[in-house]
Amino acid sequence: MPTVLSGKSIVFGVCGSIAAYKAVDLASKLVQLGARVDVIMTDRATSFVGPISFQGITHRPVVTDLFAPTSELSMDHVALARRADAVLIAPASANTIAKLAHGLCDDALGATVLATAAPVVLAPAGDANMFSNPVTVANLQLLRERGFIIVGPASGRLASGQIGLGRLESAEEILGRLRALLGRAGDLAGMKVVISAGGTREPLDPVRFLGNRSSGKMGYAVAEAARDRGATVALISAPTGLQPPAGVRLLPVQTALEMHDVVLEEASDADLLVMSAAVADFRPEAPAAEKIKRAGKDRLDLSLVRNPDVIAAAKGQRLVKIAFAVETSNLLENARAKLDAKKVALVVANDVTRPGVGFEHDTNQVTLIDVSGKAEDLPMMDKFEVAQRVLDRAVMMLAARRA
Ligand code: CTP
């Protein structure tokens, strides 16, 4: 599956820190996302993990010594620097941060960073006291001002047993920031994209709600894909069990009415609205203030009132709207009716009765129906790939809007 990292050349610097073992997993994820990864380890890093681990994962030589005769750098010490699309340093130690801030290049990593024109993402890790020391704070600030992207460090339990700032950020956060960086000139650059995700919860009483089976996976995949293509993303999400993608603005909501208000506000100055949320069409008319008790009742009747149609109500001068349609029968007919009723440019329809389709799955099989009424059946694919195909259509519709 193509990603923004496919075919990209990433120089991956690893410094001496207990967190260096996590860099092995990061290298593996970069390779899985399609990147060509050249690992440069500082001398200290090799005391924590062996170069062989990185070599096995990247299938490329690992650079540990600037002057080793076998080193690619010894022939042309700026070779890696020149071909890098981005440099990622994780974990970045306080020592390397100090060296980079002052242009020291007495090792392969320092020399490469000094020689490269590629953007640098740096994820610090180490002891809390080192990161609260004004020297390190100032060094990081200097690098930030020079355009380095600093991710973390995160707070939590440190190797010393202390709780504090110094943990390496999560792989999701580091990779998300790297992906956003690589995609910043993508075909959605300069666009504001609003995405809704998850299933709304309509309260019955303080402990119960009416919900639905939406997992939020489809909407989160659209958010991730839009970020990778350079968009500024607002993700309006009902509760899900998912980790929000790095580099997107998360706006959590619970009910359809809350989603309505936030979507309308965010969509008013947006370019694109993708409503993948499963919005409850009805809500309990009068949620109980206290927990509803069972005693003395043989049955319980609920009175529901209608929620507003969020996507139909969303308006913006430049806004292109895309709806999802969940159907269990008459897919095309129902989806076409939604296209008219909701005044949207595209409906992404799925028949959730088919295996591997819709709720909770990692895959989806959808039909795209546009205003001309034409229907394009896409094969079963990963939700991230579905998201990319939907955004391909969105890019065309956004371009037509400007023409
Ligand atoms: N939607 C919305 N507001 C609602 C209900 C749905 O914005 N109150 C949006 C959904 O996010 C989706 C699209 O409308 O993008 C279609 O949702 P779906 O549940 O398939 O259709 P409904 O309009 O609810 O119609 P029906 O339940 O009759 O199929």
Side-chain angles (χ1 to χ4, degrees), residues 263-273 310-321 343 401:
V263 168
L264 262 57
E265 161 86 29
E266 288 292 331
S268 63
D269 63 351
D271 297 277
L272 179 67
L273 170 63
V310 179
I311 197 165
K315 287 185 180 54
Q317 271 201 332
R318 300 171 287 141
L319 191 65
V320 170
K321 300 194 284 187
K343 301 265 174 298
R401 175 196 66 164

Side-chain angles (χ1 to χ4, degrees), residues 91-133:
S93 64
N95 183 48
T96 292
I97 289 166
K99 283 164 98 172
L100 297 182
H102 298 284
L104 268 66
C105 50
D106 59 351
D107 64 6
L109 185 56
T112 307
V113 172
L114 198 61
T116 193
V120 183
V121 175
L122 200 145
D127 188 64
N129 292 340
M130 285 182 169
F131 284 102
S132 58
N133 190 308

Side-chain angles (χ1 to χ4, degrees), residues 108 124 167 239:
R167 279 177 72 84

Side-chain angles (χ1 to χ4, degrees), residues 39-348:
V39 174
I40 304 179
M41 300 179 77
T42 64
D43 212 18
R44 277 267 163 266
T46 58
S47 313
F48 291 89
V49 257
I52 193 82
S53 300
F54 291 107
Q55 197 171 320
I57 282 167
T58 63
H59 305 289
R60 302 184 57 76
V62 172
V63 180
T64 51
D65 181 355
L66 186 54
F67 300 107
T70 51
S71 162
E72 201 170 340
L73 287 175
S74 68
M75 286 176 270
D76 176 1
H77 89 278
V78 287
L80 288 183
R82 212 180 297 129
R83 71 162 180 249
D85 291 297
V87 177
L88 169 65
I89 308 177
S93 64
N95 183 48
T96 292
I97 289 166
K99 283 164 98 172
L100 297 182
H102 298 284
L104 268 66
C105 50
D106 59 351
D107 64 6
L109 185 56
T112 307
V113 172
L114 198 61
T116 193
V120 183
V121 175
L122 200 145
D127 188 64
N129 292 340
M130 285 182 169
F131 284 102
S132 58
N133 190 308
V135 174
T136 312
V137 172
N139 286 337
L140 279 171
Q141 186 52 24
L142 212 56
L143 291 174
R144 216 174 266 120
E145 281 162 16
R146 295 201 183 118
F148 282 54
I149 292 167
I150 316 291
V151 187
S155 275
R157 192 186 175 281
L158 305 175
S160 61
Q162 269 186 307
I163 306 289
L165 212 60
R167 279 177 72 84
L168 186 70
E169 256 298 357
S170 68
E172 290 70 27
E173 187 69 27
I174 295 170
L175 294 176
R177 297 286 290 278
L178 179 67
R179 290 169 66 155
L181 174 77
L182 288 168
R184 68 200 187 290
D187 54 10
L188 287 173
M191 304 272 179
K192 177 178 176 184
V193 175
V194 178
I195 297 150
S196 71
T200 62
R201 293 180 171 184
E202 311 300 320
L204 280 167
D205 69 15
V207 295
R208 303 182 181 94
F209 57 82
L210 292 182
N212 60 67
R213 290 180 49 205
S214 170
S215 63
K217 283 180 182 169
M218 191 62 238
Y220 277 54
V222 177
E224 202 163 26
R227 175 207 63 197
D228 283 0
R229 295 168 80 144
T232 301
V233 179
L235 174 61
I236 302 166
S237 180
T240 70
L242 304 174
Q243 170 107 353
V248 314
R249 188 158 54 94
L250 180 76
L251 298 153
V253 296
Q254 296 270 336
T255 64
L257 285 179
E258 281 171 31
M259 184 164 276
H260 172 269
D261 292 352
V262 182
V263 168
L264 262 57
E265 161 86 29
E266 288 292 331
S268 63
D269 63 351
D271 297 277
L272 179 67
L273 170 63
V274 183
M275 265 316 272
S276 47
V279 186
D281 289 325
F282 298 92
R283 66 178 181 277
E285 186 169 26
E290 304 284 337
K291 185 183 172 202
I292 300 169
K293 290 299 211 183
R294 170 169 44 142
K297 296 188 188 78
D298 286 333
R299 53 178 285 154
L300 181 67
D301 293 314
L302 295 176
S303 173
L304 305 177
V305 290
R306 217 171 137 141
N307 275 326
D309 189 315
V310 179
I311 197 165
K315 287 185 180 54
Q317 271 201 332
R318 300 171 287 141
L319 191 65
V320 170
K321 300 194 284 187
I322 298 182
F324 274 72
V326 169
E327 305 295 348
T328 53
S329 60
N330 301 330
L331 182 85
L332 282 184
E333 201 182 308
N334 287 334
R336 284 197 175 110
K338 284 177 188 171
L339 201 65
D340 287 340
K342 294 169 192 280
K343 301 265 174 298
V344 297
L346 185 75
V347 168
V348 184

